[in-house]
Amino acid sequence: MSRSATPPLEPFAIRFGESNQTLEPPGPTLQRRMSDLAGLFADTGAWERAVADGDPLVYTVSSSPVPETPRELPQSITTIYPGQTGGEFWMTKGHQHPDPQGEIYLGLDGRGGLLLFDGERAQWLDMAPGVIGYIPPGWAHRSVNVGDEPYRFLAVYPGSAGHDYGWVLEHGMGLRARRGASGVDLVPYRAAEPGSAGAPH
Ligand code: M6P
Ligand code: ZN
């Protein structure tokens, strides 16, 4: 049976699991370690050292069983652990939707930021429990943990939206979020430095 012929799901209730860490019933989960974030932090040397020094878990995504198929409305909880690499706060890879459609993020725990970039303009939304960040169609989006505790949010997005990670590697996100003397410093985007991999030793 082709995907387009898949019947929609039947109605069902979805609940937050213990400490808002999961959705119940659970669907697919994924873990992103430092090594999965190649080319994203400006300080490539600091990123390489973090990979070599235990390759820490940076964030997890726990979904409900609603699939990423057209007309369905999947949801997931993302937990970004606290940390900085080269002074830059830990963050998601960030993506653009190949099929431009909107998305909402609802802050659940901790302190975060939602960085949006349409290729020309960058926007930063402060995120906290109870805040809904609206992502309009056409804006790439990345989440950042700016606190000392896990930052957790619920995402709800159209099942046909898709994830384009190459767009972010090519265009950047307009700004970078660094730990500053009094909290978050948003600095103009600069590309990641060349890594040591291809450099002569
Ligand atoms: C949210 C949603 C997901 C996304 C996840 C992690 O939960 O936007 O679609 O996969 O964040 O973000 P990324 O895909 O950029 O790593
Ligand atoms: Zn998205």
Side-chain angles (χ1 to χ4, degrees):
M1 185 192 272
S2 76
R3 171 174 284 189
S4 61
T6 303
L9 295 187
E10 293 293 309
F12 69 109
I14 299 164
R15 297 184 172 79
F16 290 106
E18 192 176 335
S19 308
N20 293 335
Q21 294 184 46
T22 57
L23 292 168
E24 305 290 341
T29 64
L30 67 83
Q31 299 192 328
R32 295 235 203 259
R33 295 189 171 278
M34 191 58 81
S35 54
D36 296 314
L37 276 63
L40 298 179
F41 290 99
D43 186 340
T44 301
W47 171 79
E48 288 173 338
R49 287 190 292 280
V51 172
D53 186 19
D55 193 14
L57 183 61
V58 179
Y59 64 99
T60 63
V61 183
S62 299
S63 303
S64 84
V66 177
E68 291 187 349
T69 55
R71 299 187 296 142
E72 298 289 1
L73 198 59
Q75 324 89 35
S76 54
I77 290 176
T78 299
T79 301
I80 310 174
Y81 294 98
Q84 297 103 48
T85 295
E88 203 170 342
F89 285 114
W90 282 9
M91 58 194 182
T92 60
K93 292 175 69 166
H95 61 269
Q96 181 66 282
H97 294 159
D99 184 0
Q101 301 195 58
E103 178 168 6
I104 60 167
Y105 284 178
L106 167 64
L108 298 175
D109 293 296
R111 288 186 51 233
L114 172 51
L115 177 59
L116 300 130
F117 184 51
D118 73 353
E120 294 179 1
R121 295 168 297 161
Q123 294 266 340
W124 174 266
L125 305 180
D126 287 317
M127 295 293 293
V131 175
I132 294 175
Y134 178 58
I135 302 161
W139 289 72
H141 36 290
R142 165 178 286 162
S143 293
V144 184
N145 185 341
V146 300
D148 299 321
E149 306 290 333
Y151 165 55
R152 196 168 276 126
F153 64 94
L154 173 76
V156 184
Y157 56 100
S160 59
H163 294 80
D164 181 354
Y165 296 104
W167 191 95
V168 170
L169 285 169
E170 185 178 341
H171 300 276
M173 285 297 302
L175 294 171
R176 291 186 177 279
R178 301 181 54 81
R179 184 183 280 285
S182 58
V184 186
D185 278 353
L186 294 175
V187 301
Y189 182 84
R190 67 180 164 89
E193 297 153 3
S196 61
H201 289 281

